[in-house]
Amino acid sequence: MAKSRRTLLRQFSRLPGLKLGLENIPLDELFLRFRRRAAENLCGVAVQANVYKYDGLPSLATAVFSPGSSKLAVTSTEWGSTVSIYKLSEDDVRRKIELHPMEGHQRWQVVKIAFSRSSDLAVLCRSRRETLESTLPEGRAPPKLKMYLVVFHHLHAEQKGYFYSDFGKDLREVTHSNDVEPVGLAMARDGTVCIAWIRRDGPMPHNHVVLYGRNHELMKACAYDTNPPTWSLPGLTEQVQAHRFFFNAHFAGNDTVINLYAPGNPIHTWFLSVPSGLTGVHGPLGTNRAMIDIDKTGSLQEFAVSMPFYGWHREVTVQDESWSDMEMCCMSFLAIGIDHNVPPNAFIVLGEELIDEEYCDHHIDLDAGRRAPSWKGIGLLAGWRQSSSSLGTIMATSPTKNRIAAAMWTQVLVWSFKPLHLCQGGLQYYFPARDYNPRKGLGRLRPVLLPSAGVVYSMSWTDESTLYATTDQGLVRWEMDHMCQGWRKTLTLTFS
């Protein structure tokens, strides 16, 4: 019995956090704890993960996952003129509906798709150049391509529940010039749509962002303005072009902030506040650069820090200049930090901010967290690398923030950890001795490698043990819990 206990505890000590609070547990409970904690840290998942591939889908290069829910939008048919919505679950995938953004669909092509956090779907369509040119007299220049923004609202009925319909859509024309191309599309819950454009003529590509607003009173009354306000972000181009042009945009921070992404970057490069009602002045263009002493040598290095993915609030007692005790609120945030070494490394970084208890609303605001006054590295994501492909490195965080997945072309790595333990400190007790540097106060998180299933375009978690990805081989689902048996199956999508 004593030998069995020593063997189990030795295995516990090889993984982060596995040995915490286990020294005095009876042996009959130790085996159960070992199995559960080993499953949380994905022990053996590289061999035992179940992999399911789904047949019957068109190209998934432009497919998008909905944020915070389990939906996938796919451009269908050879010409890409319809959009199919699929419902993702932990054990099945069903096609919910096929939507037609434009009438006379043979003359239109879907360019971009985006979900809002309320599951409304924005579709950007344009007329096909081939169709227009085939009807022109010889020698005549082609007309300007028309472009429309179509929004399908996530409707609700008492008996039917939530659903989409071709009748519940909002159509508006998007004015643009023929020398620009849409490269990014994002939608907020209040109906505001952000389109990022790029002009490729000249020695260097030129970007600009346009917001298409909505009247809040009309939205509440289910009425839609046929001529909504549009607002370009002035002064943005000059600041961005001094660094590198961006390709995409996403709403964040309760849809009050726009994150701008450079090509191939897994985290945003710039961010700015969205003006209320598109009538005020937008906030200053912010950058995600931070100086961190990662080696604890007093030498600061420049890092790119993502928007925090986890926050923790607690009350602390500190001493002021007169050595009197003061009650303060401490906000701790976890984010991904990428250094500028060659090749770059990725870390989990911790930012903390003290707030006077009188002025604290005790609410975790992740957007405010990225403005933390200082950051420090607490965990190295071992095995992470910046992919040199045009897709870059794609990252996804699980719903409870216990796991991070990174796809680098065909390779998919997953790191497992406890975010609350990382915020609480005492890392020397959390990380195994072989993976902790006491001088730097830095641990190392070892990844697991998922079975390869093709070139990954995008990823999304539905729960802590189910990861979906769109690949060049189709839709893929990985299951990674302690009951997996290493199955490899190809399934056919069913229509609901």
Side-chain angles (χ1 to χ4, degrees):
M1 297 289 285
K3 185 176 181 181
S4 299
R5 170 179 285 278
R6 288 196 300 270
T7 301
L8 281 176
L9 291 177
R10 185 165 57 250
Q11 294 297 323
F12 276 131
S13 65
R14 298 177 62 86
L15 292 170
L18 284 184
K19 200 173 180 181
L20 293 178
L22 297 179
E23 289 78 1
N24 300 320
I25 291 181
L27 184 61
D28 56 350
E29 296 183 15
L30 200 58
F31 287 97
L32 181 59
R33 293 290 186 95
F34 176 79
R35 184 176 183 179
R36 288 178 177 175
R37 291 197 178 184
E40 290 177 358
N41 284 268
L42 302 179
C43 295
V45 73
V47 180
Q48 296 297 325
N50 297 333
V51 183
Y52 301 92
K53 292 184 178 180
Y54 293 88
D55 285 342
L57 276 84
S59 174
L60 298 178
T62 59
V64 295
F65 291 102
S66 60
S69 62
S70 304
K71 296 183 183 65
L72 175 71
V74 180
T75 302
S76 307
T77 75
E78 179 183 359
W79 295 102
S81 56
T82 61
V83 177
S84 296
I85 306 294
Y86 294 87
K87 175 67 175 178
L88 311 180
S89 66
E90 60 184 28
D91 59 356
D92 198 6
V93 177
R94 291 182 179 273
R95 188 171 69 175
K96 301 290 289 185
I97 193 172
E98 188 174 87
L99 301 174
H100 301 275
M102 301 294 295
E103 299 296 335
H105 56 80
Q106 72 277 3
R107 296 173 43 247
W108 299 92
Q109 180 182 14
V110 174
V111 181
K112 291 289 180 181
I113 314 172
F115 278 104
S116 72
R117 295 182 185 274
S118 58
S119 294
D120 289 344
L121 179 66
V123 182
L124 193 62
C125 304
R126 68 179 170 196
S127 53
R128 291 203 187 94
R129 186 181 301 273
E130 297 84 355
T131 304
L132 292 176
E133 292 178 349
S134 62
T135 59
L136 290 175
E138 184 177 355
R140 184 176 177 182
K144 179 180 178 180
L145 296 178
K146 289 187 177 182
M147 191 167 292
Y148 286 89
L149 180 63
V150 186
V151 176
F152 292 93
H153 299 280
H154 202 209
L155 306 175
H156 182 268
E158 184 175 351
Q159 295 182 345
K160 192 173 184 177
Y162 286 97
F163 66 98
Y164 295 94
S165 171
D166 281 325
F167 299 101
K169 66 183 180 183
D170 176 24
L171 177 67
R172 41 186 158 161
E173 185 174 358
V174 177
T175 58
H176 69 291
S177 57
N178 274 346
D179 59 348
V180 297
E181 183 76 13
V183 291
L185 178 66
M187 186 178 182
R189 279 173 289 194
D190 65 356
T192 301
V193 173
C194 173
I195 301 180
W197 303 86
I198 186 171
R199 179 177 288 110
R200 300 185 184 276
D201 58 344
M204 186 174 183
H206 174 85
N207 265 110
H208 68 281
V209 172
V210 179
L211 298 180
Y212 299 82
R214 272 289 174 232
N215 184 299
H216 294 257
E217 297 302 323
L218 291 178
M219 290 286 290
K220 293 179 181 179
C222 293
Y224 305 100
D225 188 359
T226 57
N227 187 25
T230 62
W231 197 64
S232 297
L233 303 183
L236 177 64
T237 300
E238 293 76 8
Q239 299 180 62
V240 172
Q241 296 300 337
H243 298 83
R244 189 180 181 186
F245 60 91
F246 59 86
F247 258 150
N248 211 343
H250 290 290
F251 282 97
N254 201 24
D255 292 344
T256 59
V257 177
I258 296 179
N259 290 338
L260 306 175
Y261 290 77
N265 281 14
I267 61 177
H268 70 280
T269 306
W270 305 276
F271 64 93
L272 74 163
S273 300
V274 180
S276 177
L278 302 186
T279 57
V281 179
H282 68 84
L285 184 67
T287 179
N288 63 355
R289 297 296 187 264
M291 304 302 293
I292 302 177
D293 183 11
I294 198 70
D295 295 323
K296 301 300 187 294
T297 60
S299 176
L300 298 176
Q301 302 180 40
E302 187 179 72
F303 275 70
V305 179
S306 72
M307 184 169 177
F309 61 84
Y310 181 83
W312 180 47
H313 171 273
R314 68 186 187 277
E315 296 181 357
V316 297
T317 301
V318 298
Q319 292 181 334
D320 58 14
E321 297 178 355
S322 61
W323 299 97
S324 300
D325 290 342
M326 294 180 56
E327 296 297 326
M328 303 282 288
C329 291
C330 180
M331 296 285 189
S332 300
F333 301 94
L334 295 180
I336 304 296
I338 300 177
D339 62 21
H340 291 274
N341 294 332
V342 180
N345 300 301
F347 299 82
I348 294 180
V349 295
L350 173 67
E352 292 185 332
E353 182 178 8
L354 290 174
I355 304 174
D356 194 316
E357 195 173 27
E358 296 181 3
Y359 303 102
C360 181
D361 58 2
H362 310 295
H363 171 71
I364 299 296
D365 186 355
L366 296 180
D367 175 53
R370 60 174 148 197
R371 299 173 176 85
S374 63
W375 296 89
K376 65 177 181 180
I378 57 176
L380 170 68
L381 297 180
W384 186 94
R385 61 183 175 84
Q386 178 66 53
S387 175
S388 59
S389 71
S390 59
L391 297 174
T393 300
I394 300 163
M395 302 184 72
T397 308
S398 64
T400 61
K401 316 307 178 186
N402 287 333
R403 291 173 180 173
I404 294 177
M408 295 150 285
W409 198 242
T410 59
Q411 184 185 62
V412 180
L413 301 179
V414 179
W415 295 267
S416 180
F417 55 91
K418 293 293 185 182
L420 181 58
H421 291 173
L422 297 182
C423 290
Q424 289 174 333
L427 300 180
Q428 68 273 23
Y429 303 108
Y430 179 76
F431 288 101
R434 63 172 182 167
D435 290 330
Y436 183 71
N437 188 322
R439 184 186 67 82
K440 297 181 179 180
L442 185 68
R444 175 174 55 182
L445 292 168
R446 296 174 181 263
V448 295
L449 176 65
L450 296 183
S452 177
V455 178
V456 176
Y457 299 136
S458 61
M459 296 188 298
S460 178
W461 295 84
T462 56
D463 55 39
E464 292 304 300
S465 60
T466 306
L467 177 65
Y468 279 92
T470 57
T471 73
D472 63 339
Q473 303 297 319
L475 182 65
V476 178
R477 183 178 93 235
W478 288 281
E479 292 181 352
M480 49 192 94
D481 57 28
H482 63 287
M483 300 301 293
C484 292
Q485 302 179 16
W487 292 335
R488 304 291 186 271
K489 293 184 178 181
T490 300
L491 306 176
T492 301
L493 288 171
T494 55
F495 180 76
S496 175

